[in-house]
Amino acid sequence: MKIDLHVHTVYSDGSGTVREVLQTARAKGLDGLAITDHATLEGYFKARQYSGGMLVLPGYELSTDAGHVLVIGLEHLPSKKGFVNYEWLVKWARGEGGLTILAHPALNTGKLVRWVNCKTDAVEVLNASYPLSFFVNRGLKISRMLSVPTVGGSDAHFPGGVGDAYTVVEEDGWGFEDFSRALRNGRVAFNGRLSPLASRLRIGFKYLAWRTVFPKNF
Ligand SMILES: [Zn+2]
Ligand SMILES: [Zn+2]
């Protein structure tokens, strides 16, 4: 199964509607995706209505004091709002039955000791929106130090970018529990490529603009 685990929509700082995102996912041959808007599940709930047979995993991206973390599999957010403590979030999500993925870790420096001491369930090695390709190698090194499964996601902020990077899941089952089991057993791998340079730069600028408007959510 090919699943894009990192997608944004108009419900946070993406420009794609949920329908557009799902259309692209289908056109690119994905079997599923996680809508991971910043601190909201609205896009996910919408996507479930239009999924048309595609696996839609619940997800969101939260800003912590040790970088961005994707939470997959939970249909509720933590009651704490805004920036949260990294270790607290990893433990909270696990306790609630969700999975955590360290998002684009190569964009952060100086957090390695905390990541090693409190591991997420997976590391996003290939993020299609990384500004330069050497970030992928840096992500790979980080994942080796954590020795947790490695995944990929597009971090698409526009519909065309969906599926540029994705995670290959060795699992015949269809649902979060099957996905979760495969990930915990390491039967996942990242695949794909970086999005075109122009769109990667656009995402960077847009993110900075949103962070200025909604500093607490980003
Ligand atoms: Zn992020
Ligand atoms: Zn993101």
Side-chain angles (χ1 to χ4, degrees):
M1 290 211 302
K2 288 159 71 172
I3 302 180
D4 187 344
L5 290 170
H6 195 162
V7 176
H8 294 276
T9 72
V10 288
Y11 289 97
S12 64
D13 57 348
S15 64
T17 65
V18 166
R19 274 176 199 255
E20 288 170 332
V21 159
L22 285 168
Q23 266 167 12
T24 311
R26 215 165 285 132
K28 293 225 182 138
L30 294 182
D31 300 295
L33 80 170
I35 306 267
T36 53
D37 279 312
H38 296 278
T40 175
L41 279 155
E42 271 185 273
Y44 157 72
F45 285 119
K46 200 92 191 166
R48 271 201 333 193
Q49 296 170 22
Y50 301 121
S51 68
M54 178 153 301
L55 174 65
V56 180
L57 297 172
Y60 45 86
E61 182 171 20
L62 291 183
S63 301
T64 79
D65 55 358
H68 287 182
V69 172
L70 301 173
V71 177
I72 307 289
L74 297 183
E75 292 190 333
H76 57 284
L77 285 125
S79 50
K80 290 186 183 185
K81 298 284 170 243
F83 261 75
V84 289
N85 172 264
Y86 166 78
E87 288 82 2
W88 177 85
L89 178 64
V90 171
K91 286 171 194 156
W92 174 82
R94 191 162 293 149
E96 299 288 309
L99 296 167
T100 52
I101 299 171
L102 196 55
H104 47 69
L107 293 179
N108 282 294
T109 52
K111 310 293 183 196
L112 191 62
V113 175
R114 291 179 66 188
W115 295 337
V116 169
N117 286 333
C118 179
K119 293 177 186 177
T120 49
D121 297 292
V123 172
E124 182 186 65
V125 168
L126 178 56
N127 177 303
S129 303
Y130 269 149
L132 297 164
S133 55
F134 80 84
F135 284 98
V136 180
N137 284 330
R138 196 190 275 181
L140 201 54
K141 281 185 193 149
I142 292 167
S143 75
R144 284 187 186 131
M145 284 187 255
L146 270 73
S147 59
V148 295
T150 55
V151 297
S154 66
D155 204 358
H157 285 67
F158 57 97
V162 175
D164 281 351
Y166 53 89
T167 301
V168 179
V169 185
E170 281 180 46
E171 185 58 58
D172 298 327
W174 194 255
F176 171 70
E177 291 307 324
D178 300 295
F179 167 73
S180 175
R181 193 170 42 244
L183 187 124
R184 287 181 205 279
N185 292 329
R187 297 198 308 274
V188 290
F190 60 87
N191 211 333
R193 58 179 174 86
L194 295 185
S195 297
L197 180 64
S199 52
R200 283 183 271 143
L201 291 176
R202 216 167 61 210
I203 290 167
F205 287 125
K206 202 167 178 190
Y207 173 78
L208 291 175
W210 269 75
R211 207 167 65 168
T212 313
V213 182
F214 301 104
K216 286 223 158 85
N217 281 349
F218 296 89

